[in-house]
């Protein structure tokens, strides 16, 4: 019944059905779920004396006189004087007329706006020269045969050409009356805080009050979250049907000396994350967990702990990064952390691959189990290398990998444990919606002694003076540009041209280096080694340094043309400093032309905490834009708002967990199962890593 073609609804037919299809409406279910994009408060008709210039409002009155006014330029105006018994106003309808057409374009208005007729009118108030006019948008004629009262909250829909608001409201009202009573509850045990599904659909379209509208919205939002979360839990459950062929014991022969030689204590967040990861690794089902934390919070040290648990039990571990710079950084970090231990670490990237003899030897050692931990890029997901005994995959900045790359990596050891890492610190409610099929671990504390980055807005000359002061103290600096080379816009500086200019004219007493994405790998590696060693004082760069750069001596970062970067990128770039206990600074230089760009820069100046930045970014842009396309498509719920409805996200997550644990095939929830099948089809059991 709900899948009946919409063209068979009275008054639709094939031609209008084609227009509705362009709006995504093909059947009755689509029509009922085509929710309004806005609402107009027409719940009370205003007295004429109350009207305010520029407002949209509803008025009720009796026609005194009406007629047409011809103007030049083929513009015709239909005017009508309306009275509410005390005051007069004018109703205006403007139309451009083709002089070669014979029909009367105002015929309908002349019939309905006859002297003595009573009407409700909705339009925009214009007050000029002592007259009050309303530019007509919609009207309702009151007759003895039809006394429908339009004093109500009125829905507004997104439309296509040939479909009017009045028509779509009429058809949706017809569909609700005829079909909505047959809707099955997705989640029947909602309680008194929610409406029935029938009442929710009716009130989302034609609300009795704004309070009832909000109750209807939350009812439908809860259903959306339940469908989504249950889908994710079913996907996670599918993973757990696999059983490991391996196990772990915490032996301590590597973990204990590692922690002892770290030089710092783990924060409580790191300890909690390590316990959660170790519990998953020691369970009989493969781990499928994501570790979320701000830049510099110590995610890598947690991941190294997991890798050492694998190694001390005789297994191999892999850490895969999206860029060579980040892979090299992980390799350097592993060597630093594990140099005193009997743990063999190798790096595998495309630049290593180019050195055939060395590459072949590394492949042999990996395949024969002589290497314990491998750091690398997407090269790890290629047919070779063959791992002898890999049982843990760590995937850093996992959202930057394609689905197929992650799948190919996991195929190398189907029951291996998987730990994903993300330096995009997002609120828990968003994490539950994106990663509902993963176990979540958060690190929300920074290492002790780490000072927040101080962020300032400056002109470029001020920024350069500030940088010189830091360099004279023996510190280092980044200067980041959005472009590598000059573009058609002469006002935009580029890294390539500015590196030469700054080296000669601004920082001529210091050593200036340059790094960008298309440099040869060995050149990039050499530049980073020189910067890390202090040979280079100022590194001119593009956003290639957004992730994977850990230079403790760098205390200041300047972002030129900051308005051209997204907020997440700006915050990631800011994380390139504050890698030691010294005070660090981020200086943004730019000329924002739009309100959104100005807001982005204000957010960065206001917040240093990545979770607060992410919340502000989420409010500004929405989750779909921030996260992009994931396993289940963009996070574009029709009525649910993961910020406003955080309680519903938490509740649906908890309920979905219980439902799938008790009734994995949803036998007791046929409507929920049907909706999941309709929306997600065969994608339900796609694993998150794929």
């Amino acid at each position: 019944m709900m899948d009946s073609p919409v063209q068979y609804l009275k008054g639709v037919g094939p031609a209008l059905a084609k227009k509705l299809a362009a709006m995504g409406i093909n059947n009755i279910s689509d029509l009922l779920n085509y929710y309004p994009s806005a609402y107009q408060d027409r719940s009370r008709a205003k007295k004429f004396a109350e009207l305010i210039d520029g407002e949209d409002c509803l008025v009720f009155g009796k026609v005194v006189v009406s007629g047409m006014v011809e103007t030049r330029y083929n513009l015709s105006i239909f005017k009508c004087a309306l009275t509410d018994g005390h005051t007069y106003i004018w109703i205006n309808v403007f139309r451009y007329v083709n002089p070669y057409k014979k029909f009367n374009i105002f015929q309908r208005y002349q019939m309905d706006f006859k002297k003595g007729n009573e009407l409700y009118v909705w339009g925009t108030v214009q007050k000029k020269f002592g007259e009050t006019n309303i530019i007509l948008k919609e009207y309702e004629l009151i007759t003895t045969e039809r006394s429908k009262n339009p004093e109500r909250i009125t829905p507004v829909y997104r439309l296509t050409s040939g479909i009017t608001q009045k028509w779509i409201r009429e058809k949706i009202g017809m569909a609700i009356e005829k079909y909505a009573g047959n809707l099955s509850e997705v989640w029947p045990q909602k309680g008194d805080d929610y409406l029935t599904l029938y009442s929710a659909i009716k009130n989302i379209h034609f609300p009795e009050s704004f309070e009832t509208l909000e109750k209807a919205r939350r009812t439908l939002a809860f259903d959306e979250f339940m469908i989504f979360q249950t889908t994710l839990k079913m996907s996670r459950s599918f993973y757990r049907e696999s059983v490991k062929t391996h196990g772990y014991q915490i032996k301590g022969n590597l973990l204990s000396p590692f922690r002892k030689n770290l030089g710092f204590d783990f924060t409580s967040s790191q300890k909690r994350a390590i316990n959660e990861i170790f519990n998953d690794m020691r369970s009989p089902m493969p781990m499928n967990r994501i570790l979320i934390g701000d830049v510099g919070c110590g995610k890598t040290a947690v991941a190294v702990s997991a890798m050492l648990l694998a190694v001390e039990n005789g297994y191999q571990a892999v850490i895969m990064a999206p860029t060579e710079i980040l892979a090299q950084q992980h390799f350097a970090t592993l060597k630093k952390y594990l140099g005193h231990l009997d743990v063999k670490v190798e790096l595998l990237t495309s630049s290593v691959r180019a050195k055939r003899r060395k590459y072949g030897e590394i492949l042999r050692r990996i395949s024969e189990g002589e290497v314990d931990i491998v750091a690398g890029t997407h090269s790890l997901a290629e047919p070779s290398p063959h791992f002898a005994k890999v049982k843990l995959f760590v995937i850093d900045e996992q959202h930057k990998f394609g689905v197929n790359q992650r799948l190919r990596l996991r195929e190398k050891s189907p029951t291996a444990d998987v730990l994903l890492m993300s330096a995009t610190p997002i609120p828990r409610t968003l994490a539950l919606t994106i990663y509902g099929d993963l176990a979540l671990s958060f690190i929300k504390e920074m290492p002790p002694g780490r000072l927040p980055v101080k962020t300032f807005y400056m002109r470029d000359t001020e920024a350069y003076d500030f940088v010189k002061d830091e360099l004279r103290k023996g510190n280092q600096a980044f200067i980041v540009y959005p472009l590598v080379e000059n573009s058609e816009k002469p006002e935009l500086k580029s890294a390539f041209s500015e590196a030469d200019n700054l080296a000669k004219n601004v920082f001529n007493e210091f050593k200036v280096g340059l790094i960008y994405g298309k440099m040869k790998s060995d050149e990039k590696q050499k530049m980073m080694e020189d910067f890390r060693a202090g040979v280079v004082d100022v590194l001119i760069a593009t956003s290639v340094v957004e992730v994977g750069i850990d230079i403790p001596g760098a205390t200041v970062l300047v972002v030129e043309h900051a308005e051209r970067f997204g907020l997440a990128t700006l915050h990631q770039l800011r994380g390139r400093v504050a890698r030691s206990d010294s005070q660090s600074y981020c200086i943004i230089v730019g000329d924002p032309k739009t309100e959104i760009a100005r807001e982005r820069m204000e957010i960065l100046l206001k917040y240093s905490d990545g979770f607060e930045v992410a919340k502000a970014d989420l409010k500004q842009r929405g989750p779909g834009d921030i996260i992009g396309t994931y396993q289940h498509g963009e996070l574009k719920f029709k009525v649910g708002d993961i910020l406003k409805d955080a309680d519903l996200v938490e509740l649906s997550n908890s309920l979905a967990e219980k439902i799938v644990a008790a009734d994995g095939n949803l036998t007791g929830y046929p409507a929920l199962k049907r909706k999941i099948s309709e929306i997600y089809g065969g994608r339900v059991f796609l694993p998150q890593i794929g």
Side-chain angles (χ1 to χ4, degrees):
M1 194 171 288
M2 291 297 137
D3 57 3
S4 299
V6 73
Q7 79 173 69
Y8 298 121
L9 191 65
K10 185 178 178 182
V12 179
L16 287 169
K18 195 173 283 188
K19 292 182 181 294
L20 289 174
M23 296 161 57
I25 301 172
N26 296 291
N27 54 39
I28 297 300
S29 178
D30 294 336
L31 186 62
L32 291 175
N33 290 292
Y34 194 76
Y35 302 143
S37 59
Y39 298 87
Q40 295 168 344
D41 186 2
R42 305 187 194 179
S43 55
R44 185 182 76 84
K46 282 197 166 188
K47 299 295 184 186
F48 293 178
E50 300 174 335
L51 300 183
I52 300 169
D53 187 40
E55 73 172 346
D56 282 351
C57 67
L58 183 74
V59 297
F60 175 76
K62 182 180 285 189
V63 178
V64 177
V65 65
S66 64
M68 283 173 55
V69 178
E70 299 290 344
T71 70
R72 294 194 303 170
Y73 311 113
N74 299 325
L75 177 65
S76 291
I77 307 171
F78 178 79
K79 295 181 71 71
C80 164
L82 213 63
T83 181
D84 63 356
H86 303 283
T87 312
Y88 294 92
I89 60 172
W90 287 97
I91 309 299
N92 299 301
V93 183
F94 297 89
R95 293 287 185 272
Y96 281 98
V97 181
N98 184 337
Y100 300 103
K101 298 286 186 181
K102 301 295 184 184
F103 60 84
N104 179 4
I105 60 170
F106 290 123
Q107 184 176 3
R108 185 76 213 176
Y109 295 101
Q110 289 170 334
M111 290 171 58
D112 290 344
F113 285 79
K114 282 181 180 175
K115 184 177 179 179
N117 282 358
E118 293 182 319
L119 303 102
Y120 281 94
V121 171
W122 171 264
T124 304
V125 179
Q126 282 189 352
K127 291 193 172 187
K128 287 183 180 178
F129 312 116
E131 271 189 2
T132 300
N133 294 267
I134 288 185
I135 309 304
L136 182 67
K137 292 184 177 180
E138 291 184 47
Y139 70 91
E140 188 81 39
L141 176 64
I142 304 302
T143 67
T144 52
E145 295 81 24
R146 185 185 59 173
S147 55
K148 185 178 176 183
N149 183 0
E151 291 190 39
R152 57 184 178 266
I153 298 166
T154 304
V156 179
Y157 300 89
R158 291 186 179 88
L159 303 177
T160 191
S161 176
I163 302 289
T164 66
Q165 293 289 347
K166 191 172 182 180
W167 187 87
I168 194 77
R169 287 178 201 135
E170 183 181 301
K171 298 310 163 197
I172 289 173
M174 193 183 296
I176 290 171
E177 189 176 326
K178 188 172 181 181
Y179 296 103
N182 299 316
L183 290 167
S184 300
E185 296 285 348
V186 169
W187 178 247
Q189 301 107 347
K190 288 195 186 81
D192 296 336
D193 292 335
Y194 305 91
L195 304 177
T196 64
L197 185 53
Y198 168 76
S199 184
I201 289 289
K202 185 175 181 180
N203 279 280
I204 201 73
H205 289 289
F206 307 108
E208 297 167 8
S209 65
F210 281 106
E211 292 75 19
T212 312
L213 170 60
E214 177 59 10
K215 207 167 184 179
R217 189 199 65 78
R218 278 179 60 85
T219 299
L220 296 170
F222 182 76
D223 281 356
E224 282 187 317
F225 294 141
M226 277 302 299
I227 292 164
F228 186 81
Q229 293 286 8
T230 307
T231 302
L232 295 181
K233 303 306 178 197
M234 290 176 77
S235 178
R236 184 172 166 189
S237 173
F238 177 72
Y239 269 129
R240 293 188 170 183
E241 290 179 9
S242 303
V243 178
K244 289 179 186 172
T245 56
H246 61 285
Y248 302 93
Q249 291 181 342
I250 300 175
K251 299 178 179 179
N253 57 306
L254 294 176
L255 283 164
S256 296
F258 162 65
R259 291 188 66 168
K260 187 176 180 181
N261 286 277
L262 263 180
F264 59 84
D265 290 329
F266 286 129
T267 63
S268 57
S269 284
Q270 285 176 305
K271 289 175 184 176
R272 184 170 56 250
I274 289 169
N275 286 334
E276 289 167 347
I277 291 165
F278 279 15
N279 287 337
D280 276 6
M281 290 176 72
R282 295 171 70 194
S283 80
M285 283 90 64
M287 175 173 69
N288 209 30
R289 180 172 288 272
I290 185 163
L291 179 62
I292 300 170
D294 205 350
V295 286
C297 70
K299 293 186 300 297
T300 304
V302 171
V304 172
S305 300
M307 289 188 276
L308 286 180
L309 178 59
V311 173
E312 71 177 20
N313 279 272
Y315 306 123
Q316 291 172 308
V318 163
I319 181 164
M320 185 168 79
T323 66
E324 281 210 34
I325 288 179
L326 184 51
Q328 287 162 356
Q329 179 67 59
H330 282 315
F331 180 64
T333 302
L334 287 164
K335 298 290 277 186
K336 181 180 76 172
Y337 282 160
L338 309 178
H340 62 289
L341 299 174
D342 184 23
V343 177
K344 298 173 183 66
V345 182
E346 281 291 357
L347 176 68
L348 205 60
T349 63
S350 55
S351 59
V352 174
R353 198 173 181 174
K355 300 168 185 176
R356 295 196 174 184
R357 182 174 295 180
K358 182 180 179 181
Y359 178 65
E361 176 60 17
I362 292 173
L363 289 184
R364 183 196 65 75
R365 295 180 64 232
I366 291 172
S367 65
E368 293 180 8
E370 295 177 16
V371 177
D372 301 306
I373 299 176
V374 185
T377 56
H378 59 274
S379 296
L380 296 170
E382 297 301 318
S384 61
H386 298 286
F387 297 99
K389 47 187 177 179
V390 65
K391 295 301 177 188
L392 175 65
F393 294 115
V394 179
I395 302 176
D396 197 6
E397 295 294 326
Q398 65 89 27
H399 60 280
K400 296 193 175 185
F401 287 103
V403 168
N404 290 334
Q405 287 171 326
R406 299 196 298 265
L407 263 179
R408 286 199 302 270
L409 183 65
R410 184 154 195 170
E411 283 170 356
K412 291 172 181 279
S413 183
T415 63
D417 294 297
V418 176
L419 176 64
L420 309 176
M421 295 201 296
S422 175
T424 303
I426 55 178
R428 178 176 168 79
T429 51
L430 181 54
L432 285 172
T433 51
I434 300 164
Y435 304 122
D437 52 347
L438 295 170
L440 304 176
S441 290
F442 290 89
I443 300 179
K444 292 196 172 182
E445 300 165 87
M446 299 303 281
R450 190 72 59 86
L451 299 171
V453 180
K454 291 184 178 179
T455 306
F456 302 106
Y457 177 80
M458 296 182 184
R459 294 192 300 270
D460 54 4
T461 52
E462 294 174 311
Y464 299 156
D465 288 341
F466 190 97
V467 168
K468 281 190 271 191
D469 287 342
E470 285 295 301
L471 296 177
R472 287 172 186 141
K473 294 175 187 175
N475 298 320
Q476 295 168 281
F478 293 93
I479 301 180
V480 179
Y481 294 87
L483 302 175
V484 180
E485 297 179 296
N486 289 335
S487 72
E488 295 175 358
K489 297 182 178 180
E491 71 275 13
L492 292 180
K493 301 175 187 177
S494 70
F496 209 81
S497 61
E498 286 303 302
D500 186 56
N501 172 50
L502 294 175
K504 290 177 180 176
N505 304 315
V506 180
F507 302 113
N508 48 349
E509 60 186 290
F510 304 101
K511 177 69 174 175
V512 176
L514 171 68
I515 190 169
Y516 54 92
K518 291 187 177 179
M519 282 175 71
K520 292 180 180 178
S521 296
D522 53 351
E523 291 176 355
K524 274 193 281 193
Q525 189 170 354
K526 176 69 165 59
M527 181 57 66
M528 289 313 306
E529 286 171 357
D530 287 349
F531 192 42
R532 190 173 287 109
V535 175
V536 170
D537 302 300
V538 182
L539 185 63
I540 311 299
T542 61
S543 59
V544 70
V545 298
E546 179 184 346
V547 293
I549 307 296
D550 186 1
I551 310 294
T555 59
V556 58
L557 174 129
V558 178
V559 184
E560 293 267 12
H561 300 301
E563 73 279 1
R564 296 180 67 86
F565 293 95
L567 192 52
T569 298
L570 286 170
H571 181 67
Q572 289 283 341
L573 287 169
R574 179 165 61 180
R576 295 316 99 212
V577 291
R579 315 299 288 196
S580 68
D581 56 3
S582 299
Q583 180 61 62
S584 293
Y585 307 90
C586 173
I587 300 170
I588 51 178
V589 179
D591 182 21
K593 306 288 187 189
T594 67
E595 187 61 34
I596 289 176
R598 278 190 291 274
E599 281 179 16
R600 278 203 302 267
M601 293 171 75
E602 285 168 7
I603 290 167
L604 200 74
L605 291 166
K606 183 176 180 181
Y607 299 113
S608 60
D609 179 81
F611 285 92
E612 293 301 323
V613 171
K615 281 182 187 176
D617 199 16
L618 186 61
K619 285 178 183 175
Q620 189 185 64
R621 293 197 292 145
D625 290 333
I626 291 174
I627 303 302
T629 302
Y630 273 73
Q631 171 192 339
H632 301 294
E634 290 188 7
L635 295 177
K636 291 183 178 177
F637 298 111
K638 286 186 176 181
V639 292
D641 182 323
I642 61 174
L643 289 181
K644 186 161 69 172
D645 302 322
D647 60 324
L648 299 183
V649 174
E650 295 275 1
L651 179 60
S652 62
N653 179 67
S654 173
L655 286 172
E657 188 84 55
K658 292 174 184 175
I659 288 169
V660 174
D663 184 2
N665 199 36
L666 303 184
T667 306
Y669 304 91
L672 179 58
K673 186 174 183 177
R674 186 167 58 252
K675 290 300 290 185
I676 288 173
S677 180
E678 286 173 9
I679 296 170
Y680 300 113
R683 294 181 295 160
V684 169
F685 297 112
L686 279 178
Q688 171 70 28
I689 196 172

